[in-house]
Every structure is written in C-alpha cells, then in structure tokens.
C-alpha cells in the first residue's frame, strides 16, 4: 500500500478509499530533535526537513493550504521538489459544492476511488473515537491517554482495523478526576509531547482538545457526505463561526478554563486577543516554538494557572 | 504548622516569619540551605524557582504568593509587577491573568546587573546616580547587549554617566509598561528592583499612574508563601 503524507485535516476516508495509507506528518514533530535552519513554524519546517532529507517513506504529499496555514503551503512547495504534492483548499464560506470539487481533484491525484467501502470503515472507527472523547469528558480516561488516540483521528495510524482493535482495548483508568479543573485546549495541539501528562499532574484535566476533535467529528461514507461534513471544519471558517462553535462545545463539556496553544510565527498568536474577548473563560496563553518536553518556564505557568483556578473556586 | 515562608529565586533566597512581628533574612541563592538550618520541613511554605527542591509542606508559584504577600499591605491590588532576577511577571489580579517575560533579559533584574557591572557600580547604587541626572536620551535597542553598545557610543559622544543611567531606567520602564494592561488602576511593584526610585518614577510618568511599593518589596513572595501556607492548612 502506498503512503501519502498529510498535514492537518485531510479526510482519511477518502485517502483509504483511494487505496493509500495516510500518514500524519505532524505526529513526528513533538518527539523530533531535528532543528531546521530555515524556519518559521517548527511544525511545518520539521516535516519539510524530514522529507527533503529523504527520512520518510512517502509516495506523495497532501498539504492543507487553504483554511489552515500558509506556512504549510510554502514548506509543502519546497517538499514538492522531492515528492508529488497536492494542495487542498477548504472554503472560507463553507461552500459544500466547492469542497466536493476539491475532494474530487484530490481523489484524481491519488488515482481515483477504488474501495468506497473504506469510507464506512473509517466512519465506524471515528464513532469509537467519539466514545473515547466522551469517556475523557467524564474523567474515565486520562488527558494523556485520550489525546494519544484522538490525535490519531487524522490518519488512524495507517490501519483502521488495527486501530479500532487497539481502541477496544483501552482500559478505563482508575483515579478520581472530579476535583481537577476541567480545561479546554484550543488552537494548535501542543508541540511538547508530554504536555497532557504534565498538565494533569498539576491538577488540569484536559476535557477538550480542539484540533483532535475536528479530526474525529467530520466524516462521511460518500463524497457528498464528506463534502457536507468537512465544510464545517472550523479552522477554515471565519473566526466568529469557530468561536460560536467553541462556545457551545465548552458549555457542553462544562469546562472551567481555556489553555490557548499558539506557536511562534503562527496566525493563532494573532487570534489570542479575539479569542479572549469572545470566550469569557480564565485563559492561559501558551506560546511555544521548538518541540521537546514541557520546559520549566511553561510548567511554572501551568502550575500558576492551576493555583489561580483554585482560588476562584 | 506553617511558620516560615521561604522564597528561593534565581539570585537570592529569603526567609520570613511573623512571630509575632515580621522578621526576615536574605542570602545568595547558592547559600539557601543555611537559611533553613534547624527548621523542620513541615513548618515551611516555599516559593520561587527552587520551590519544589527545598524541603516544604506547601509550595506555590510566585504568581500566587505575590498576590498573598501584597495583600498584607494593599487590600485590593489590581496589577502586581514583580521584577525578578531573571524574569518579570505582570499579574492582573482582577482578571486572574498573568504574563511572564522570561525569554529576554531586557526588562529583568539581570539587565540592570549587566549595566551596573559595565560601569563598575553596584546595582543598588543606580537609583542614587539617577537622581543626579539632568536629562535622558532615547535608547532605541530593546536587546540588552545592543542597548549597552548604544550606551557606550553615547559615552564616546561625551554623555554623562548619570544621564545614561537615567536613560537606561527610562528604556527599562518602557519595556515593563508594555506588559501592563491599559486600564490598570492600582499598580504595585515588588521584587528587589522596586527599591530603585528611578525606575518607579519613569514607570509612573509613562503610565500616568501612581506606583505603590510595599515595605521590603524583595521579601513579598516569601511573606505571601507564609500566608498562603497558613490558608492552605485551614482547607
Ligand atoms: S502551528 Fe500555525 S503556522 Fe504552524 S502549522 Fe499549525 S497553523 Fe501553521
């Protein structure tokens, strides 16, 4: 099976249906020790560097360019010198017909749909991920364990059947999380691989991971269904649309506070002011750059944030 | 029972007790162990960079202890500015928000140390020297190292050291002011730098607000740790 490297939200339903195995390039970044020379955002620069150095076994690349990130587009264009690349553009206005035409072009790039049943298979796995997400909301699964699987909603670790089996074996974890603060992680996923573990140690239970939730909540068993669902990808839409969505989701999950993860040279940093004005929760903004374990300065901020939330109780 | 608040930061270590009146001792960080001789850990509430390392019963970050410490003197502070040796924290008490500048030394105590060292002065002398200034010059560089080369070039042009120190204080205060919310009312300055009148005056001019400094601003976090520890024991 050929492998296609993907960035952010590329429907795995479609990739598998075209006979390809998706591989989310961002998942290699948090544990990477690559330090690219020419970089803005470390996420895109690191996967670009790995592709340029021939370190990844990929047959092609799909970059979400429109509605996600211009840095990804440019680093993707550089990586396209090594492997064939496709640039996916989500509509800003949620136009489903436009998105369907984008998905049609993507499937032609991948050689066309050869196994449409795979869409249903992926859809069923995503149902299991939604259940896992709910278990974490109820505190039955730790922040870290939940995140570890939810973040794989983008590529199902390249094998939906094996991934589904793994999901069925996830144990409910012991430990009372009822006294912890319930926190929503908004913006980009943290670039520090132990972020969720460290946050939970400091009394912060992550009850919502924005990006992974986008990975698992959109699905469909046909091109039409996919276009209808994925057109709601909030990161691609205007900020107000995304904030309205978040407002409801945060209420539903009864979160106490927000951690807004931003990244050096990323537009999410610019959004911070508006996010704080719109979503009236105690908010900690985290500004990261290079991957690795959570640095001491960030631990201090998390600990102080946890103390502030205690004082508010 | 908690009897001592201990703050071990990047440059100094402080211990505070209130039995019944305020007593404190300050040492260099590398000597922090000498401060704790004979004191059992269950009597200590700790804070500062080394809060988890030193023996303690309760530990809290400097963000929390700053609030508790300042409240000993000012009941309702709106914004607390804590200029430490290696970072500067601005705590928006009303909005439960805080910013920490720990990526750049300009705007931290380290910058003033750096400048004082260059002129062969002690950092505690800077305030007095500032008093003798007759004018300030705009320092354009925000990076400590480049700011120093700018200062040196002004010296070459014949500027007085007093005027340059005042100018550095002004540039320093401008950096800090950028971190303070526009609508801040009651602003309290703590940390060793709060003893520098030149910086306080520059900040007051930029912000158009009075800056309050509690007595012994350098031990506020240790005092706050003590108060926080006492409160935690009651929970
Ligand atoms: S963190 Fe920002 S700049 Fe980096 S890939 Fe994500 S959206 Fe792009």
């Amino acid at each position: 099976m050929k492998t296609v490297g993907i960035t952010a939200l590329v429907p795995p339903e479609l990739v598998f249906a075209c006979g390809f195995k998706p591989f989310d390039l961002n998942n290699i970044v948090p544990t990477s020790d690559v330090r690219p020379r020419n970089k803005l955002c470390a996420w895109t620069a690191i996967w670009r560097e790995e592709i340029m150095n021939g370190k990844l076994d990929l047959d092609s690349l799909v970059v979400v360019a429109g509605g996600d990130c211009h840095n990804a587009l440019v680093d993707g264009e550089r990586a396209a010198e090594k492997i064939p690349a496709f640039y996916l553009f989500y509509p800003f206005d949620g136009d489903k017909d436009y998105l369907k035409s984008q998905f049609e072009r993507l499937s032609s790039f991948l050689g066309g749909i050869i196994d449409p049943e795979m869409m249903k298979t992926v859809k069923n796995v995503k149902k299991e991920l939604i259940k896992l997400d709910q278990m974490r909301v109820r505190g039955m699964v730790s922040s870290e364990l939940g995140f570890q699987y939810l973040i794989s909603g983008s590529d199902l670790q390249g094998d939906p059947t094996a991934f589904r089996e793994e999901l069925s074996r996830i144990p409910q974890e012991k430990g009372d999380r009822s006294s912890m603060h319930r926190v929503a992680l908004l913006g980009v996923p943290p670039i520090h691989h132990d972020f969720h573990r460290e946050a939970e140690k400091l009394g912060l239970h992550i009850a919502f991971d924005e990006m992974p939730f986008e990975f698992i909540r959109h699905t469909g068993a046909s091109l039409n269904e996919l276009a209808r669902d994925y057109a709601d990808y909030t990161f691609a839409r205007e900020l107000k649309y995304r904030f309205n969505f978040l407002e409801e989701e945060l209420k539903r999950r009864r979160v106490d506070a927000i951690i807004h993860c931003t990244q050096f040279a990323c537009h999410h940093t610019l959004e911070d002011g508006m996010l704080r004005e719109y979503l009236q929760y105690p908010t900690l903004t985290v500004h990261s750059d290079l991957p690795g374990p959570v640095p001491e300065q960030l631990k201090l901020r998390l600990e102080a944030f946890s103390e502030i939330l205690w004082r508010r109780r | 029972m908690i009897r001592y608040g201990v703050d071990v930061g990047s440059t100094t270590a402080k211990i505070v007790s209130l039995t019944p009146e305020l007593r404190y001792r300050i040492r260099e960080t590398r000597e922090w162990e000498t401060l704790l001789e004979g004191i059992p850990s269950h009597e200590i509430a700790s804070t500062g960079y080394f809060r988890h390392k030193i023996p303690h019963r309760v530990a809290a970050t400097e963000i929390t202890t700053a609030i508790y410490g300042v409240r000993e003197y000012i009941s309702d502070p709106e914004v607390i500015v804590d200029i430490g040796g290696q970072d500067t924290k601005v705590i928006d008490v009303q909005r439960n928000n805080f910013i920490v500048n720990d990526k750049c030394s300009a705007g931290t105590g380290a910058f003033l140390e750096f400048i004082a060292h260059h002129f062969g002065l002690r950092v505690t002398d800077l305030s007095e020297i500032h008093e003798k200034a007759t004018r300030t010059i705009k320092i354009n560089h925000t990076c400590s190292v480049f700011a120093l080369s700018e200062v040196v070039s002004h010296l070459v042009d014949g500027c007085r050291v007093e005027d340059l120190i005042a100018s550095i204080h002004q540039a320093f205060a401008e950096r800090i002011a950028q971190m303070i919310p526009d609508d801040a009312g009651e602003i309290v300055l703590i940390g060793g730098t709060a003893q520098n009148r030149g910086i306080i005056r520059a900040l007051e001019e930029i912000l158009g607000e009075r800056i309050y400094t509690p007595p012994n601003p350098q031990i506020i976090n240790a005092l706050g740790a003590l108060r926080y520890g006492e409160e935690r024991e009651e929970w």
Side-chain angles (χ1 to χ4, degrees):
Chain A
M1 211 179 197
K2 286 184 172 173
T3 304
V4 57
I6 58 169
T7 73
L9 189 67
V10 176
E13 293 85 351
L14 194 53
V15 176
F16 282 116
C18 292
F20 274 78
K21 199 162 89 167
F23 177 76
D24 189 336
L25 295 167
N26 288 313
N27 291 344
I28 62 169
V29 174
T31 50
S32 170
D33 54 11
V34 171
R35 296 292 176 263
R37 268 213 204 159
N38 181 14
K39 82 171 240 316
L40 280 179
C41 166
W43 289 100
T44 65
I46 287 174
W47 59 245
R48 176 208 67 207
E49 206 72 356
E50 293 288 65
I51 294 174
M52 296 308 287
N53 294 333
K55 293 279 165 59
L56 302 171
D57 192 13
L58 302 176
D59 298 288
S60 52
L61 171 68
V62 178
V63 176
V64 177
D68 189 67
C69 177
H70 212 84
N71 289 348
L73 173 62
V74 178
D75 278 326
E77 287 200 59
R78 173 60 87 184
E81 292 168 9
K82 290 276 176 185
I83 46 173
F86 180 86
Y87 308 103
L88 179 64
F89 288 78
Y90 279 91
F92 184 63
D93 59 0
D95 184 336
K96 296 167 180 61
D97 295 332
Y98 168 81
L99 189 58
K100 189 178 171 201
S101 71
Q102 282 285 306
F103 287 167
E104 280 164 352
R105 288 184 54 214
L106 170 59
S107 47
S108 320
F109 170 76
L110 296 173
I113 294 173
I114 53 170
D115 186 359
E117 277 305 301
M118 283 306 277
M119 296 198 199
K120 229 182 253 159
T121 308
V122 173
K123 191 175 172 180
N124 287 334
V125 180
K126 286 195 174 178
K127 277 186 195 155
E128 296 303 314
L129 285 167
I130 293 278
K131 280 188 207 156
L132 174 67
D133 185 34
Q134 285 309 312
M135 274 164 63
R136 196 175 62 155
V137 171
R138 291 198 293 274
M140 293 152 70
V141 168
S142 71
S143 307
E144 185 187 18
L145 190 69
F147 176 73
Q148 194 183 312
Y149 288 99
L150 298 175
I151 194 76
S152 292
S154 58
D155 63 4
L156 312 188
Q157 298 179 354
D159 184 343
T161 314
F163 186 60
R164 190 176 176 169
E165 261 177 45
E166 218 181 304
L167 284 178
S168 68
R169 288 196 297 267
I170 293 181
Q172 290 192 9
E173 288 178 317
K174 295 209 178 69
D176 183 11
R177 295 184 177 83
S178 58
S179 62
M180 289 187 180
H181 309 295
R182 301 168 62 78
V183 175
L185 221 62
L186 308 186
V188 296
I191 200 160
H192 309 293
H193 55 79
D194 55 352
F195 186 94
H196 288 70
R197 193 186 324 147
E198 291 298 330
E200 194 150 305
K201 270 197 224 158
L202 296 167
L204 305 166
H205 176 61
I206 313 296
F208 181 53
D209 272 292
E210 184 182 12
M211 187 68 175
F213 189 54
E214 290 300 309
F215 289 166
I216 64 172
R217 79 185 182 97
H218 305 294
T219 188
S222 67
L223 265 189
N224 276 333
E225 279 183 25
L226 288 176
R228 207 172 50 211
D229 233 68
Y230 278 78
D232 270 346
Y233 176 36
T234 53
F235 280 77
R237 306 292 296 273
E238 68 178 304
L239 279 177
K240 236 187 178 164
Y241 183 89
R242 180 173 149 226
F243 293 161
N244 280 335
F245 175 81
L246 289 174
E247 198 174 19
E248 287 307 311
E249 203 52 44
L250 267 47
K251 252 189 251 158
R252 213 162 61 83
R253 293 171 188 251
R254 294 179 293 105
V255 309
D256 306 310
I258 293 172
I259 296 179
H260 185 208
C261 289
T262 68
Q263 182 68 20
F264 171 72
C266 170
H267 64 277
H268 283 282
T269 311
L270 278 182
E271 293 169 1
D272 190 60
M274 281 187 273
L275 183 136
R276 282 169 175 269
E277 278 161 34
Y278 205 93
L279 301 169
Q280 296 275 326
Y281 285 83
T283 302
L284 173 72
T285 303
V286 169
H287 192 62
S288 300
D289 184 9
L290 295 168
V294 175
E296 283 304 318
Q297 300 99 312
L298 179 50
K299 283 188 198 162
L300 168 80
R301 287 165 171 81
L302 292 173
E303 194 175 340
F305 192 53
S306 184
E307 288 166 1
I308 282 181
L309 297 174
W310 275 114
R311 280 195 296 112
R312 284 173 56 92
R313 281 193 172 176
Chain B
M1 192 177 143
I2 301 286
R3 290 177 202 274
Y4 298 92
V6 179
D7 171 13
V8 183
S10 57
T11 45
T12 55
K14 306 103 186 166
I15 185 164
V16 162
S17 66
L18 284 166
T19 45
E21 76 283 4
L22 177 72
R23 287 155 163 245
Y24 66 86
R25 280 184 295 150
I26 301 177
R27 294 272 186 284
E28 283 188 29
T29 290
R30 59 189 153 81
E31 297 169 344
W32 65 264
E33 275 154 309
T34 62
L35 286 179
L36 305 188
E37 276 161 14
I39 299 177
S41 63
H42 65 262
E43 294 188 359
I44 295 173
S46 65
T47 187
Y49 195 69
F50 290 82
R51 66 192 173 283
H52 294 302
K53 190 165 186 247
I54 62 179
H56 63 271
R57 180 176 161 103
V58 177
T61 63
E62 306 91 286
I63 309 226
T64 296
T65 57
I67 298 171
Y68 278 76
V70 166
R71 283 202 180 129
E72 283 292 300
Y73 300 99
I74 296 158
S75 59
D76 211 8
E78 283 184 27
V79 171
I80 299 171
V81 182
D82 179 0
I83 304 177
Q86 311 226 323
D87 64 17
T88 294
K89 305 181 186 78
V90 172
I91 308 159
D92 185 342
V93 187
Q94 305 293 316
R95 295 194 187 94
N96 285 305
N97 204 358
F98 61 89
I99 318 172
V100 187
N101 162 30
D102 48 19
K103 291 214 168 87
C104 163
S105 70
T108 72
F111 175 59
L112 297 177
E113 290 278 355
F114 179 59
I115 294 291
H117 184 254
H118 179 79
F119 286 106
L121 302 166
R122 283 176 308 174
V123 76
T124 43
D125 298 333
L126 294 178
S127 184
E128 213 173 293
I129 294 168
H130 180 132
E131 298 294 324
K132 298 187 191 118
T134 50
R135 62 171 185 144
T136 56
I137 304 149
K138 178 115 186 98
I139 308 283
N140 292 308
H141 283 101
T142 46
C143 154
S144 306
V145 176
F146 291 153
L148 181 62
S149 3
E150 200 178 333
V151 165
V152 171
S153 68
H154 286 304
L155 266 182
V156 173
D157 289 344
C159 266
R160 296 166 64 227
V161 171
E162 292 82 353
D163 294 343
L164 283 173
I165 298 292
S167 310
I168 286 161
H169 284 165
Q170 179 71 25
F172 186 91
E174 277 166 13
R175 281 229 122 193
I176 305 285
Q178 283 171 4
M179 297 170 71
I180 297 176
D182 292 340
D183 56 355
E186 198 148 33
I187 303 167
V188 184
L189 186 62
I190 62 168
T193 307
Q195 287 166 319
N196 183 327
R197 285 294 319 154
I199 290 200
I200 297 174
R201 210 147 353 105
L203 253 182
E204 285 179 335
E205 265 166 40
I206 297 165
L207 298 169
E209 294 284 346
R210 216 192 123 201
I211 309 283
Y212 297 84
T213 47
N216 307 311
Q218 73 280 29
I219 56 141
I220 289 297
N221 283 328
L223 177 60
L226 173 57
R227 287 302 193 208
Y228 176 79
E230 288 170 348
E231 193 179 305
R232 276 297 292 267
E233 278 194 321
E234 287 164 17
W235 288 359

